Amino acid sequence: MKILIDVMGGDNAPQVPIEAAVKAANELGVNMVLVGDTDIINKELEKYSYPEDKISIAHAPDVISNHEEPAKAVRQKKTASVVVAANMLKNGEGDAMLSMGSTGALLTAGLLIVGRIKGILRPALATTLPTAQGPKLLVDAGANTNCRPANLVQFGIMGDAYMKKLHNINNPKVGLISNGEEEGKGDDLTKKSYGIMKDAPFNFIGNIEGRDIMEGNADVMVCDGFIGNVVLKTVEGMGHVISNRIKDIFKKSIITKIGAVFVMGGLKEFKKSMDYREYGGAPLLGCKKLVLKGHGSSDTKAAFAAIKQAKIFIDTDVNKEIEENLKKINTEETENA
């Protein structure tokens, strides 16, 4: 197994991705390819001890920033780390790639360079959300803002495969995000998607409302990328607000500070359940090989979790599960929806 990691992308590059890669080589025994500026990487690697046969370097001196237009940058910057990694993945020089850099550049490279699984109309970004019933999957979290019913059905198929393989859920519950539970609720896209999803090869439980998302009433929550990104950013913002408010409450007086001591265990458990670092990265489901987006501000713990996630994805062959489920639907009928 060989995992490519863009060490030049993200707020804490190259230190964090390199440290995580070394940790993965030492603890997981996976082969890591560090994609970036060779001189910078070698200087950073001097800090660590690692099995030299497990870590190699692919020179890529350029970086695509968050401020650049993704499609243009991917086409023009052939030696950018994310582009080099994507081409290596396409050419069979790796089994998965991870980047904490520009989301737009990674999505573009995944789509244009790595390519789609046969039958997949649009790859979708899948993000794990912390809920009252444990981690659940949101698909799509921002890759596709204009969708057809066929896209949402495929999002459900891919999310179903992911939760089966990575979270060991035998029959994941797939819900369609709408403004009401009834079948007739929602916009035109939601209504049409509902009709097709009823006959799709997964456990469709119907519409779910906004309040159901954090309750965790569905294992896979399907929507277009516009709604999904709003949901994702709302959840992230809510987490920050709750965390800060709890801190303010317990700092109010001596009594509240003493009270904090007695509930510290529960607070730590709550904080851990809301910590994105526990869940790894966001896969671009539907690509021929795994393209994984790490959080831009990832620390070593988060980056290492993403590498472990990639290993499980490869070991359990999620893409094969997706391909098998695609065979169970009427492709022509779905594509026309």
Side-chain angles (χ1 to χ4, degrees):
M1 182 186 300
K2 188 176 289 186
I3 298 174
L4 310 163
I5 181 166
D6 167 18
V7 302
M8 308 305 288
D11 300 338
N12 301 311
Q15 293 82 7
V16 160
I18 291 177
E19 184 177 7
V22 169
K23 183 177 174 66
N26 284 324
E27 298 183 16
L28 303 179
V30 296
N31 294 298
M32 301 297 303
V33 181
L34 310 182
V35 185
D37 188 287
T38 301
D39 291 338
I40 293 175
I41 294 172
N42 279 326
K43 185 176 181 180
E44 190 67 24
L45 282 175
E46 291 176 0
K47 302 177 182 178
Y48 306 101
S49 297
Y50 57 89
E52 294 186 5
D53 62 327
K54 293 292 183 182
I55 292 183
S56 58
I57 300 172
H59 185 54
D62 294 325
V63 182
I64 296 177
S65 73
N66 290 321
H67 305 294
E68 296 180 77
E69 199 283 310
K72 182 180 179 181
V74 167
R75 289 189 176 96
Q76 293 183 350
K77 285 190 168 183
K78 302 298 183 183
T79 56
S81 51
V82 68
V83 176
V84 171
N87 276 300
M88 292 179 69
L89 190 62
K90 175 187 176 182
N91 295 330
E93 299 174 69
D95 300 294
M97 67 174 287
L98 166 66
S99 176
M100 273 73 76
S102 165
T103 301
L106 183 66
L107 297 183
T108 302
L111 181 61
L112 298 183
I113 299 174
V114 180
R116 300 167 291 164
I117 293 173
K118 185 178 180 180
I120 291 295
L121 303 173
R122 292 187 185 180
L125 197 62
T127 298
T128 302
L129 297 181
T131 76
Q133 299 185 52
K136 306 298 180 181
L137 196 69
L138 176 69
V139 192
D140 176 18
N144 305 282
T145 55
N146 295 301
C147 293
R148 295 185 291 133
N151 302 133
L152 268 58
V153 173
Q154 291 191 346
F155 296 170
I157 287 174
M158 294 189 291
D160 171 79
Y162 184 89
M163 293 302 281
K164 282 179 180 176
K165 295 296 187 178
L166 270 81
H167 291 274
N168 298 311
I169 300 175
N170 291 328
N171 193 28
K173 295 180 290 184
V174 179
L176 179 62
I177 296 178
S178 186
N179 64 336
E181 295 180 353
E182 299 84 2
E183 181 174 349
K185 289 286 188 177
D187 58 11
D188 190 53
L189 172 62
T190 308
K191 293 175 184 177
K192 289 181 179 178
S193 299
Y194 190 110
I196 304 173
M197 282 185 167
K198 288 192 297 184
D199 300 319
F202 49 71
N203 179 20
F204 181 55
I205 62 170
N207 288 337
I208 59 171
E209 299 181 85
R211 63 188 175 196
D212 297 313
I213 293 172
M214 295 309 294
E215 289 290 340
N217 293 332
D219 299 304
V220 180
M221 299 168 284
V222 175
C223 59
D224 65 46
F226 179 84
I227 292 174
N229 197 254
V230 171
V231 169
L232 174 61
K233 297 299 171 60
T234 300
V235 171
E236 288 180 346
M238 180 185 68
H240 288 303
V241 170
I242 291 175
S243 177
N244 290 333
R245 286 292 294 132
I246 290 175
K247 288 179 183 178
D248 291 342
I249 289 170
F250 284 119
K251 288 179 180 178
K252 272 189 174 182
S253 66
I254 294 294
I255 295 175
T256 57
K257 288 179 181 178
I258 294 173
V261 174
F262 293 99
V263 296
M264 190 59 66
L267 289 175
K268 287 182 178 178
E269 185 177 339
F270 171 74
K271 183 178 179 181
K272 182 178 180 181
S273 71
M274 297 294 290
D275 190 352
Y276 75 89
R277 298 177 301 169
E278 299 288 336
Y279 302 117
L284 183 60
L285 296 177
C287 287
K288 291 179 180 178
K289 290 187 178 180
L290 176 61
V291 175
L292 190 60
K293 176 66 176 73
H295 201 287
S297 59
S298 290
D299 59 10
T300 302
K301 178 179 179 180
F304 180 67
I307 295 171
K308 286 199 296 183
Q309 178 187 12
K311 183 179 185 300
I312 298 170
F313 189 103
I314 298 165
D315 284 339
T316 57
D317 206 347
V318 175
N319 277 355
K320 183 178 179 181
E321 181 78 13
I322 292 173
E323 290 167 356
E324 289 299 317
N325 284 342
L326 283 174
K327 295 176 183 177
K328 299 175 184 178
I329 63 174
N330 187 320
T331 305
E332 183 178 346
E333 180 179 313
T334 304
E335 287 183 356
N336 293 328

